Amino acid sequence: MNTFKIAALAGDGIGPEVMREAIKVLRATEKKFGFKLEITEAPVGWAGIDSDGKALPEKTLALCKQSDSILFGSVGLPDRDATIPKEERPERAALLRIRKEFSLFANLRPVKLPKALAHACPLAKERQGDGIDILVVRELTGGMYFGQPKKTENLPDGNFRAIDTMVYTTPEIERIAHVAFKAARLRRKKLTSIDKANVLENGILWREVVTRVGKHYSDVTLEHQFVDNAAMQLVLRPTQFDVMLCENMFGDILSDEAAALGGSLGMLPSASLGASSGEKIFGFYEPAGGTAPDIAGKNLANPIAQILSAALMLRHSFGLNEAAAAIEIAVGKAIDSGNRTGDIFNPNESGAQKIGTREMGDAIAAAI
Ligand code: IPM
Ligand code: MG
């Protein structure tokens, strides 16, 4: 039997409760499709700091290295940030460190507004067209997140100066562009590349390189947009987008905006992949929505982003396409039968019932 090793790192805030539901759904899928998942849980984020003194404990990193993929919850509790140096905070010391350590340069964030959730989209019906269906491809290990120098300096006059550096090399842009073009090929064959070529050196190089790579994909239509225009186009005419290719920071911002159009940030999964070698592709799968400390531990969080992230893992890392599709279909069924967590609930919707995290997980597992 095919066996796959998963490191399950739930993290902080709503992480543990949404992870529990994703594992429930994975177990239902395992039973139905007859593969074996070895799921090992380990602490990360503030949970890691509390148990082992570090946001990414050695034993957690070791587990990740021995696994076929990482299923991640979320990390970060802003209320506790002031208690430790910024380099040791979970966002940098765990999340960004893992992205870099495993060279997970390609972040895929699929946004799809289900028909039944048209009411949860903040845009008027006519702007939703036949449905919003966008794949944000975000470069994840370059740009301003990692560029050096990155520091805050004291100035002689008592003020401070903060420096972040935006830096991209040709190969970094080429490899993410290939990922985006290949993804577009499997979809509606349109790629919109986002940059700020009217101001940034990085933008000029980005546009040049993406254009050059595009010559290898003559079946894909390539368009370029400045990032400010893209932010506006997303709310004016989101149906023009198929694949959006973004550098790290722009992708961070635009993927949250796109997620809101897809009904809720609580529905946005993501896959972070490195270079593929062989048939098992190591990947990192996480909901894009964060720890949401205000609703943590109250059975209020939407587990769908975590559950859809698990589906992406089955597809991209393990090649279990049928099982991945089964999870996505089960999510659709749970929504179609009126199950709504608070973030996608509208009291005026007939036939909808407001349920909790656990009940949403149950409904999806039952629909597998
Ligand atoms: C995301 C998050 C992270 C990012 C934070 C938590 C560091 O916002 O995955 O989009 O900025 O990449
Ligand atoms: Mg973000």
Side-chain angles (χ1 to χ4, degrees):
M1 199 191 306
N2 259 340
T3 301
F4 304 96
K5 285 193 188 138
I6 301 167
L9 317 183
D12 310 317
I14 60 170
E17 46 195 314
V18 294
M19 179 65 81
R20 187 189 61 217
E21 300 314 311
I23 292 177
K24 187 189 284 175
V25 172
L26 282 173
R27 290 295 180 211
T29 317
E30 181 184 38
K31 216 160 157 193
K32 167 143 189 199
F33 291 89
F35 47 80
K36 177 105 194 71
L37 302 176
E38 267 177 46
I39 304 176
T40 312
E41 301 192 45
V44 73
W46 284 100
I49 293 170
D50 291 340
S51 67
D52 298 82
K54 275 168 91 173
L56 184 61
E58 299 306 333
K59 63 173 195 231
T60 300
L61 182 60
L63 170 73
C64 292
K65 288 184 174 162
Q66 290 155 17
S67 301
D68 298 317
S69 76
I70 303 171
L71 186 60
F72 198 82
S74 42
V75 293
L77 296 173
D79 281 356
R80 294 182 63 180
D81 274 354
T83 62
I84 52 169
K86 54 187 185 252
E87 297 76 23
E88 293 171 25
R89 291 177 195 153
E91 290 87 340
R92 286 200 202 181
L95 186 56
L96 299 191
R97 164 119 192 262
I98 292 175
R99 287 175 181 173
K100 201 67 176 174
E101 177 95 27
F102 294 96
S103 299
L104 303 166
F105 69 88
N107 182 226
L108 312 179
R109 298 189 164 181
V111 172
K112 201 164 181 175
L113 176 67
K115 280 230 156 43
L117 289 188
H119 66 84
C121 175
L123 300 184
K125 268 260 165 56
E126 55 273 20
R127 293 199 199 278
Q128 299 176 18
D130 290 334
I132 297 167
D133 183 0
I134 302 171
L135 175 67
V136 179
V137 175
R138 171 186 176 194
E139 202 291 328
L140 205 59
T141 51
M144 261 202 277
Y145 276 60
F146 296 96
Q148 292 295 335
K150 185 179 196 66
K151 60 180 172 182
T152 304
E153 298 173 337
N154 298 324
L155 294 177
D157 66 2
N159 285 309
F160 295 98
R161 177 165 63 185
I163 304 171
D164 293 281
T165 306
M166 187 172 191
V167 48
Y168 272 105
T169 61
T170 306
E172 284 178 302
I173 304 170
E174 279 170 354
R175 63 182 183 178
I176 191 69
H178 280 290
V179 170
F181 278 108
K182 284 183 183 142
R185 254 189 186 158
L186 300 174
R187 296 170 48 99
R188 301 192 304 281
K189 300 190 170 54
K190 178 168 175 197
L191 179 63
T192 309
S193 176
I194 313 298
D195 62 46
K196 189 73 184 169
N198 49 350
V199 176
L200 301 177
E201 292 293 320
N202 272 273
I204 296 170
L205 184 64
W206 185 273
R207 193 172 283 219
E208 268 173 27
V209 174
V210 173
T211 304
R212 182 151 37 76
V213 171
K215 303 263 187 276
H216 300 280
Y217 300 87
S218 53
D219 52 329
V220 177
T221 306
L222 172 63
E223 251 180 30
H224 303 275
Q225 275 181 17
F226 295 139
V227 62
D228 51 347
N229 182 35
M232 181 176 72
Q233 292 299 328
L234 262 176
V235 292
L236 290 181
R237 212 164 57 79
T239 54
Q240 73 185 280
F241 296 110
D242 178 14
V243 176
M244 299 178 85
L245 169 60
C246 309
E247 66 86 40
N248 203 345
M249 176 87 164
F250 297 163
D252 178 45
I253 297 167
L254 293 182
S255 63
D256 269 29
E257 188 186 355
L261 305 181
S264 162
L265 195 49
M267 310 256 300
L268 181 65
S270 89
S272 304
L273 307 171
S276 61
S277 58
E279 55 181 65
K280 278 188 189 175
I281 301 174
F282 184 86
F284 177 89
Y285 300 85
E286 61 170 331
T291 51
D294 52 324
I295 57 165
K298 299 181 180 159
N299 200 40
L300 290 174
N302 188 341
I304 290 181
Q306 187 78 57
I307 291 167
L308 290 177
S309 297
L312 292 179
M313 174 179 75
L314 297 187
R315 177 175 299 122
H316 292 289
S317 281
F318 307 155
L320 300 169
N321 295 329
E322 217 188 324
I327 293 180
E328 288 159 354
I329 291 167
V331 167
K333 280 187 187 154
I335 288 172
D336 286 344
S337 7
N339 296 294
R340 305 279 184 268
T341 41
D343 56 323
I344 51 175
F345 179 71
N346 177 338
N348 302 321
E349 197 193 351
S350 67
Q353 69 267 9
K354 195 170 179 178
I355 58 168
T357 311
R358 194 182 291 275
E359 293 71 34
M360 183 62 102
D362 287 343
I364 296 167
I368 292 289

